[in-house]
Amino acid sequence: ICLELVRRGYQIACPKIGNASADFWAVSGNSSMFIQIVSADDETSLSKALKTLYKLPGNVDKFLLSIEPIKTNYGVKNVSVIDFLLNKI
């Protein structure tokens, strides 16, 4: 995912929000997004990832990448890893 973001021209950071951290913060020009990568099979990681994304500012796109569909709220978009890599978002 990181290499794909760099290939698309994004600058990458791994931001820390309190005790939590997002996997990636990708910035390119006026576009920025926070990305968390999770597996729906691991409830602990999923809960932690969603809590982190919910804490982030509302004016930035927030993506939860996973193989399986996951229900999200508060502006977090669940996207298939495959769709992301095929640039379908």
mmCIF file of all heavy atoms in Angstrom, residues 11-30:
data_model
loop_
_atom_site.group_PDB
_atom_site.id
_atom_site.type_symbol
_atom_site.label_atom_id
_atom_site.label_comp_id
_atom_site.label_asym_id
_atom_site.label_seq_id
_atom_site.Cartn_x
_atom_site.Cartn_y
_atom_site.Cartn_z
ATOM 1 N N GLN A 11 3.168 11.929 -0.644
ATOM 2 C CA GLN A 11 4.167 11.900 0.414
ATOM 3 C C GLN A 11 3.514 11.180 1.577
ATOM 4 O O GLN A 11 2.332 11.386 1.858
ATOM 5 C CB GLN A 11 4.590 13.305 0.804
ATOM 6 C CG GLN A 11 5.324 14.024 -0.309
ATOM 7 C CD GLN A 11 5.771 15.409 0.121
ATOM 8 O OE1 GLN A 11 5.521 15.849 1.235
ATOM 9 N NE2 GLN A 11 6.439 16.097 -0.778
ATOM 10 N N ILE A 12 4.282 10.338 2.261
ATOM 11 C CA ILE A 12 3.729 9.459 3.285
ATOM 12 C C ILE A 12 4.283 9.808 4.661
ATOM 13 O O ILE A 12 5.464 10.073 4.809
ATOM 14 C CB ILE A 12 4.073 7.987 2.979
ATOM 15 C CG1 ILE A 12 3.666 7.595 1.570
ATOM 16 C CG2 ILE A 12 3.473 7.044 4.005
ATOM 17 C CD1 ILE A 12 2.204 7.705 1.296
ATOM 18 N N ALA A 13 3.418 9.765 5.656
ATOM 19 C CA ALA A 13 3.814 9.887 7.055
ATOM 20 C C ALA A 13 3.002 8.879 7.854
ATOM 21 O O ALA A 13 1.974 8.387 7.386
ATOM 22 C CB ALA A 13 3.552 11.298 7.565
ATOM 23 N N CYS A 14 3.481 8.557 9.035
ATOM 24 C CA CYS A 14 2.763 7.666 9.951
ATOM 25 C C CYS A 14 2.436 8.465 11.207
ATOM 26 O O CYS A 14 3.229 8.502 12.147
ATOM 27 C CB CYS A 14 3.599 6.442 10.275
ATOM 28 S SG CYS A 14 3.954 5.436 8.839
ATOM 29 N N PRO A 15 1.281 9.138 11.218
ATOM 30 C CA PRO A 15 0.960 10.059 12.313
ATOM 31 C C PRO A 15 0.571 9.343 13.596
ATOM 32 O O PRO A 15 0.016 8.252 13.571
ATOM 33 C CB PRO A 15 -0.224 10.847 11.763
ATOM 34 C CG PRO A 15 -0.896 9.891 10.852
ATOM 35 C CD PRO A 15 0.214 9.085 10.228
ATOM 36 N N LYS A 16 0.870 9.981 14.704
ATOM 37 C CA LYS A 16 0.479 9.479 16.012
ATOM 38 C C LYS A 16 -0.577 10.415 16.581
ATOM 39 O O LYS A 16 -0.403 11.629 16.560
ATOM 40 C CB LYS A 16 1.691 9.413 16.926
ATOM 41 C CG LYS A 16 1.447 8.695 18.213
ATOM 42 C CD LYS A 16 2.782 8.315 18.840
ATOM 43 C CE LYS A 16 2.580 7.630 20.161
ATOM 44 N NZ LYS A 16 2.219 6.259 20.075
ATOM 45 N N ILE A 17 -1.677 9.855 17.050
ATOM 46 C CA ILE A 17 -2.777 10.612 17.616
ATOM 47 C C ILE A 17 -2.965 10.120 19.046
ATOM 48 O O ILE A 17 -3.540 9.052 19.250
ATOM 49 C CB ILE A 17 -4.081 10.438 16.799
ATOM 50 C CG1 ILE A 17 -3.861 10.837 15.347
ATOM 51 C CG2 ILE A 17 -5.207 11.250 17.403
ATOM 52 C CD1 ILE A 17 -3.591 9.694 14.446
ATOM 53 N N GLY A 18 -2.473 10.846 20.009
ATOM 54 C CA GLY A 18 -2.526 10.374 21.390
ATOM 55 C C GLY A 18 -1.714 9.092 21.515
ATOM 56 O O GLY A 18 -0.559 9.046 21.138
ATOM 57 N N ASN A 19 -2.351 8.038 22.004
ATOM 58 C CA ASN A 19 -1.673 6.744 22.121
ATOM 59 C C ASN A 19 -1.843 5.876 20.883
ATOM 60 O O ASN A 19 -1.308 4.785 20.818
ATOM 61 C CB ASN A 19 -2.201 5.979 23.342
ATOM 62 C CG ASN A 19 -1.803 6.636 24.635
ATOM 63 O OD1 ASN A 19 -0.775 7.305 24.706
ATOM 64 N ND2 ASN A 19 -2.604 6.464 25.662
ATOM 65 N N ALA A 20 -2.624 6.352 19.919
ATOM 66 C CA ALA A 20 -2.905 5.572 18.711
ATOM 67 C C ALA A 20 -2.135 6.159 17.528
ATOM 68 O O ALA A 20 -1.680 7.293 17.563
ATOM 69 C CB ALA A 20 -4.400 5.595 18.423
ATOM 70 N N SER A 21 -2.004 5.355 16.490
ATOM 71 C CA SER A 21 -1.357 5.864 15.277
ATOM 72 C C SER A 21 -2.056 5.299 14.049
ATOM 73 O O SER A 21 -2.514 4.170 14.046
ATOM 74 C CB SER A 21 0.122 5.501 15.258
ATOM 75 O OG SER A 21 0.289 4.112 15.240
ATOM 76 N N ALA A 22 -2.148 6.132 13.011
ATOM 77 C CA ALA A 22 -2.707 5.687 11.736
ATOM 78 C C ALA A 22 -1.600 5.004 10.959
ATOM 79 O O ALA A 22 -0.420 5.310 11.137
ATOM 80 C CB ALA A 22 -3.265 6.873 10.960
ATOM 81 N N ASP A 23 -1.955 4.067 10.098
ATOM 82 C CA ASP A 23 -0.935 3.391 9.301
ATOM 83 C C ASP A 23 -0.267 4.366 8.350
ATOM 84 O O ASP A 23 0.959 4.398 8.250
ATOM 85 C CB ASP A 23 -1.545 2.218 8.523
ATOM 86 C CG ASP A 23 -1.960 1.079 9.427
ATOM 87 O OD1 ASP A 23 -1.361 0.921 10.515
ATOM 88 O OD2 ASP A 23 -2.881 0.348 9.057
ATOM 89 N N PHE A 24 -1.070 5.175 7.651
ATOM 90 C CA PHE A 24 -0.510 6.127 6.692
ATOM 91 C C PHE A 24 -1.311 7.421 6.673
ATOM 92 O O PHE A 24 -2.529 7.400 6.777
ATOM 93 C CB PHE A 24 -0.534 5.558 5.257
ATOM 94 C CG PHE A 24 0.212 4.278 5.109
ATOM 95 C CD1 PHE A 24 -0.474 3.099 4.918
ATOM 96 C CD2 PHE A 24 1.597 4.241 5.158
ATOM 97 C CE1 PHE A 24 0.192 1.896 4.771
ATOM 98 C CE2 PHE A 24 2.277 3.049 5.024
ATOM 99 C CZ PHE A 24 1.578 1.874 4.828
ATOM 100 N N TRP A 25 -0.590 8.499 6.499
ATOM 101 C CA TRP A 25 -1.176 9.787 6.148
ATOM 102 C C TRP A 25 -0.539 10.133 4.817
ATOM 103 O O TRP A 25 0.683 10.294 4.722
ATOM 104 C CB TRP A 25 -0.867 10.837 7.193
ATOM 105 C CG TRP A 25 -1.405 12.212 6.883
ATOM 106 C CD1 TRP A 25 -2.514 12.514 6.152
ATOM 107 C CD2 TRP A 25 -0.854 13.457 7.295
ATOM 108 N NE1 TRP A 25 -2.698 13.870 6.092
ATOM 109 C CE2 TRP A 25 -1.685 14.482 6.785
ATOM 110 C CE3 TRP A 25 0.246 13.817 8.043
ATOM 111 C CZ2 TRP A 25 -1.434 15.823 7.001
ATOM 112 C CZ3 TRP A 25 0.488 15.153 8.269
ATOM 113 C CH2 TRP A 25 -0.344 16.139 7.747
ATOM 114 N N ALA A 26 -1.331 10.190 3.773
ATOM 115 C CA ALA A 26 -0.835 10.423 2.419
ATOM 116 C C ALA A 26 -1.261 11.813 1.961
ATOM 117 O O ALA A 26 -2.435 12.167 2.057
ATOM 118 C CB ALA A 26 -1.387 9.361 1.478
ATOM 119 N N VAL A 27 -0.297 12.599 1.462
ATOM 120 C CA VAL A 27 -0.566 13.968 1.041
ATOM 121 C C VAL A 27 -0.004 14.193 -0.351
ATOM 122 O O VAL A 27 1.149 13.838 -0.636
ATOM 123 C CB VAL A 27 0.072 14.980 2.018
ATOM 124 C CG1 VAL A 27 -0.175 16.408 1.562
ATOM 125 C CG2 VAL A 27 -0.430 14.768 3.426
ATOM 126 N N SER A 28 -0.826 14.777 -1.214
ATOM 127 C CA SER A 28 -0.392 15.151 -2.561
ATOM 128 C C SER A 28 -1.150 16.413 -2.954
ATOM 129 O O SER A 28 -2.354 16.368 -3.174
ATOM 130 C CB SER A 28 -0.678 14.033 -3.557
ATOM 131 O OG SER A 28 -0.309 14.424 -4.863
ATOM 132 N N GLY A 29 -0.451 17.535 -3.029
ATOM 133 C CA GLY A 29 -1.113 18.800 -3.353
ATOM 134 C C GLY A 29 -2.168 19.122 -2.323
ATOM 135 O O GLY A 29 -1.892 19.152 -1.129
ATOM 136 N N ASN A 30 -3.402 19.355 -2.764
ATOM 137 C CA ASN A 30 -4.513 19.661 -1.860
ATOM 138 C C ASN A 30 -5.226 18.413 -1.363
ATOM 139 O O ASN A 30 -6.201 18.520 -0.630
ATOM 140 C CB ASN A 30 -5.527 20.578 -2.558
ATOM 141 C CG ASN A 30 -4.968 21.963 -2.797
ATOM 142 O OD1 ASN A 30 -4.083 22.406 -2.071
ATOM 143 N ND2 ASN A 30 -5.459 22.634 -3.812
#
